[in-house]
């Protein structure tokens, strides 16, 4: 059986995903067969796997760092928030149920068997499994029945390294406080700590670092400065979507929906030097100089359609279209561009129908048949082939389907308006394809740069690994695995 090492954080969004991705690439470069693992993730940014399921996007990135295709065993429990109090529960790639938070606390302990099954399968196939925790082990009110942090670590007998985020402030209290509140048996699993996201000269924290070692008795593995290139890697949290500030270029505006999903669709566009990408937040009007509006995917189409209307964005988008502007709806965004979204069985909330934006002559009916698949498609307007994936419920049909956005296996996909300026498609990931991205940008009067998106991501993963090698005691970290 392989060795394993778990990285837990003093809180959410302290950089655990990036740390694991970098450590995966380091281990691969040292000749190890390594796989990523996250027992439980909460994200609406999902990736379709080679075995026909879905996992969190961060684990797909970590798989890439390992040179592996994404597999459902890498993230056996995925929670996809649909409302403020409820989430869809995906187990080993397939939807199990939708529950509210209180009900999930009762369901959670029953999922440990699936978590450990997936973990042990990975261990049987690889030299090393690098595990990412979720949230923080200091959330001791959630310790009973835990499958994401110390509950998993105890069940799997997996050693732990604790990561603190100094950019948030209070990192000494983060780490010392974690030791103070967790159970001593859990604390015994922690092999040491590291400090992440330091800005400036790391030696300035020498005294604080020594204080943490003295107060906890844990060894430190290093202080990692801020990794400036992190924005080039797919973000798992919508709050982390990077939009570099550019003074000019074609202005693409993406609506920051309340349940935005699969927003890594935007990453390749953000990296184009000829594109100025703006994430439009609640309460902000559509900028007057907008060239293209993108309505992204959503985990709750009808809910986000109402959210969109509450911001007045439906009127802004219709006005933008009347002025000759371009609009692209992806997945849930495609459904919102139609005439109506009907959910007769209440799959995303209360049963009923919602009037949509009305720029495409299609109607959507939500069905319980979830489509999860990778595809090879051909963009009809340009004739450009590309790779993508589908991950959605609902079917859309109507007169504008006679003008498809793409062809997939000889079948029409998506819709175009009569003037071709309004487009809708269920296909995610299309902009990762360099050829398609160039053709699409040309169709809106922009030009693509020369960089390959996949090459950029690979080079950034190598840069991340170099960064961690420089500032962490990697040999000591890997020696902790067992």
């Amino acid at each position: 059986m392989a060795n394993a090492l778990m990285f837990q954080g003093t809180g959410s969004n302290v950089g655990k995903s990036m740390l694991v991705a970098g450590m995966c690439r380091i281990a691969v470069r040292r000749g190890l067969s390594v796989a990523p693992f996250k027992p439980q993730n909460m994200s609406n940014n999902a990736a379709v796997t080679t075995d026909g399921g879905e996992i969190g996007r961060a684990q797909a990135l970590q798989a890439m760092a390992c040179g592996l295709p994404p597999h459902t065993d890498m993230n056996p429990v995925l929670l996809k928030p649909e409302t403020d109090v409820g989430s869809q529960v995906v187990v080993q790639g397939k939807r199990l149920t939708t529950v509210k938070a209180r009900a999930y606390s009762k369901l959670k302990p029953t999922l440990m068997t699936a978590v450990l099954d997936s973990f042990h399968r990975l261990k049987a196939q690889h030299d090393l499994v690098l595990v990412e925790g979720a949230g923080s082990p200091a959330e001791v009110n959630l310790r009973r029945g835990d499958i994401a942090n110390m509950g998993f670590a105890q069940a799997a007998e997996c050693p732990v390294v604790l990561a603190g985020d100094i950019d948030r402030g209070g990192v000494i209290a983060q780490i010392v406080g974690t030791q103070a509140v967790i159970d001593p048996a859990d604390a015994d699993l922690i092999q040491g700590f590291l400090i992440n996201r330091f800005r400036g000269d790391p030696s300035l924290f020498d005294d604080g670092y020594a204080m943490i070692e003295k107060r906890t008795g844990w060894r430190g593995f290093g202080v990692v400065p801020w990794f400036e290139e992190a924005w080039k890697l797919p973000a798992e949290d919508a709050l982390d979507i990077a939009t570099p500030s550019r003074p000019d270029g074609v202005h693409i505006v993406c609506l920051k929906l309340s349940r935005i999903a699969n927003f890594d669709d935007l990453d390749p566009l953000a990296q184009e030097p000829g594109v100025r990408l703006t994430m439009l937040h609640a309460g902000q009007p559509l900028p007057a100089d907008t060239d293209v509006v993108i309505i992204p995917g959503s985990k709750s189409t009808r809910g986000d359609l109402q959210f969109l209307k509450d911001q007045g964005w439906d009127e802004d988008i219709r006005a933008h279209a009347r002025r000759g502007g371009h609009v692209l709806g992806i997945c849930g965004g495609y459904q919102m561009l139609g005439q109506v979204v009907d959910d007769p069985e209440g799959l995303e909330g209360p049963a009923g129908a919602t009037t949509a934006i009305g720029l495409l002559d299609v109607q959507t009916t939500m069905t319980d048949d979830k489509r999860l698949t990778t595809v090879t498609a051909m963009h009809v307007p340009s004739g450009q082939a590309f790779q993508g994936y589908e991950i959605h419920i609902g079917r859309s049909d109507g007169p504008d389907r006679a003008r498809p956005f793409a062809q997939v296996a000889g079948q029409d996909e998506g819709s175009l308006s009569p003037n071709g300026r309004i487009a809708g498609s269920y296909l995610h990931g299309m902009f990762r394809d360099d050829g398609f991205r160039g053709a699409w940008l040309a169709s809106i009067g922009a030009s693509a740069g020369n960089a390959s998106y996949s090459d950029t991501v690979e080079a950034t993963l190598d840069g991340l690994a170099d960064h961690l090698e420089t500032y962490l005691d990697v040999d000591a970290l890997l020696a902790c695995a067992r």
Side-chain angles (χ1 to χ4, degrees):
M1 296 291 283
N3 290 326
L5 179 64
M6 186 174 195
F7 290 83
Q8 296 184 18
T10 55
S12 297
N13 202 23
V14 301
K16 297 186 295 292
S17 295
M18 290 293 101
L19 288 167
V20 171
M23 288 296 298
C24 284
R25 180 55 59 96
I26 286 170
V28 167
R29 296 198 307 198
R30 295 187 178 200
L32 296 174
S33 170
V34 58
F37 182 75
K38 184 161 186 171
Q40 173 191 288
N41 199 351
M42 177 177 283
S43 176
N44 278 333
N45 209 22
V48 174
T49 62
T50 53
D51 55 327
E54 57 180 312
I55 60 174
R57 172 57 57 186
Q59 280 61 66
L61 176 66
Q62 291 160 359
M64 182 185 297
C66 296
L68 298 174
H71 192 280
T72 53
D73 279 341
M74 296 172 181
N75 177 206
V77 178
L78 175 63
L79 306 178
K80 305 185 76 174
E82 295 179 337
T83 68
D84 288 341
V85 296
S87 294
Q88 184 182 117
V89 182
V90 177
V91 178
Q92 293 179 330
K94 304 298 182 184
R95 178 184 179 274
L96 175 67
T97 185
T98 296
V99 297
K100 293 186 177 180
R102 188 172 298 276
Y104 180 67
S105 66
K106 297 178 181 178
L107 173 66
K108 183 171 56 175
T110 70
L111 303 178
M112 182 64 90
T113 298
V115 167
L116 292 175
D117 283 348
S118 290
F119 176 66
H120 288 304
R121 275 195 293 270
L122 290 178
K123 286 193 74 176
Q125 298 166 14
H126 300 280
D127 302 320
L128 176 66
V129 177
L130 293 176
V131 185
E132 178 187 343
S136 167
E139 295 162 340
V140 291
N141 56 309
L142 304 177
R143 177 61 178 86
R144 185 174 183 179
D146 171 59
I147 63 172
N149 288 305
M150 287 302 181
F152 165 79
Q154 289 285 2
E157 299 180 345
C158 184
V160 174
V161 173
L162 186 65
D165 179 6
I166 198 169
D167 192 58
R168 294 170 174 235
V171 74
I172 297 173
Q174 291 176 32
I175 297 173
V176 174
T178 297
Q179 186 188 58
V181 299
I182 64 176
D183 187 270
D186 290 344
D188 286 344
L189 284 174
I190 297 180
Q191 308 300 299
F193 68 92
L194 62 86
I195 307 297
N196 198 24
R197 293 175 173 168
F198 191 92
R199 295 181 188 266
D201 180 358
S203 67
L204 296 175
F205 191 64
D206 285 351
D207 290 345
Y209 189 83
M211 184 180 297
I212 296 173
E213 288 188 315
K214 182 177 180 180
R215 292 290 294 267
T216 62
W218 294 332
R219 66 156 298 174
F221 291 103
V223 178
V224 182
W226 190 275
F227 181 57
E228 296 292 347
E229 301 298 298
W231 69 274
K232 295 181 180 179
L233 298 174
E236 187 171 67
D237 194 315
L239 296 174
D240 295 331
I241 300 174
T243 53
S245 178
R246 296 191 176 104
D248 50 27
V250 63
H251 193 187
I252 299 176
V253 176
C254 178
L255 308 185
K256 173 67 169 58
L257 302 173
S258 65
R259 294 286 174 237
I260 187 171
N262 294 81
F263 43 82
D264 57 304
D265 283 337
L266 306 171
D267 291 336
L269 293 176
Q271 297 184 28
E272 284 289 348
V275 169
R276 179 161 52 105
L277 178 65
T278 297
M279 294 299 299
L280 198 65
H281 292 256
Q284 296 177 328
L286 189 68
D289 64 348
T290 299
D291 296 302
V292 184
V293 176
I294 293 180
I295 309 176
S298 169
K299 193 63 196 69
S300 179
T301 300
R302 289 177 63 216
D304 265 341
L305 181 54
Q306 186 58 53
F307 175 83
L308 181 153
K309 292 177 180 179
D310 290 343
Q311 315 313 313
W313 290 340
D314 56 333
E315 295 292 344
D316 286 353
I317 292 168
R318 284 191 283 264
H320 170 76
R322 287 194 298 270
R323 294 192 295 267
H326 293 266
V327 183
L328 171 63
I330 302 174
C331 200
Y334 170 31
Q335 296 171 342
M336 295 180 207
L337 281 174
Q339 302 298 313
V340 67
V341 179
D342 187 15
D343 186 3
E345 298 179 35
L347 298 173
E348 290 192 341
T354 302
T355 301
I357 298 171
L359 291 181
L360 287 175
D361 196 359
V362 296
Q363 297 189 8
T364 296
T365 300
M366 294 301 185
T367 65
D368 200 22
D369 178 23
K370 189 169 189 176
R371 185 161 174 80
L372 286 163
T373 185
T374 56
V375 302
T376 298
M378 189 273 290
H379 183 227
V380 171
S382 66
Q384 179 68 48
F386 65 94
Q387 304 292 316
Y389 66 95
E390 292 185 57
I391 179 169
H392 66 92
I393 62 171
R395 298 291 181 266
S396 302
D397 203 4
D400 280 351
R401 292 275 288 113
R403 290 176 295 277
F405 177 85
Q407 289 273 329
V408 177
Q411 300 295 314
D412 292 343
E413 194 286 322
S415 306
L416 297 171
S417 63
N419 65 11
R421 290 179 174 270
I422 314 299
S425 172
Y426 277 113
L427 302 181
H428 292 284
M430 62 183 86
F431 293 120
R432 293 186 215 158
D433 188 289
D434 301 330
F436 170 82
R437 191 171 66 256
W440 184 81
L441 286 172
S443 75
I444 60 171
S447 58
N450 296 321
S452 160
Y453 177 67
S454 62
D455 288 350
T456 297
V457 173
E458 289 288 351
T460 305
L461 285 169
D462 282 333
L464 175 60
D466 292 340
H467 187 71
L468 297 183
E469 287 265 26
T470 299
Y471 295 101
L472 291 178
D473 189 342
V474 171
D475 289 337
L477 279 168
L478 294 176
C480 292
R482 63 172 185 265

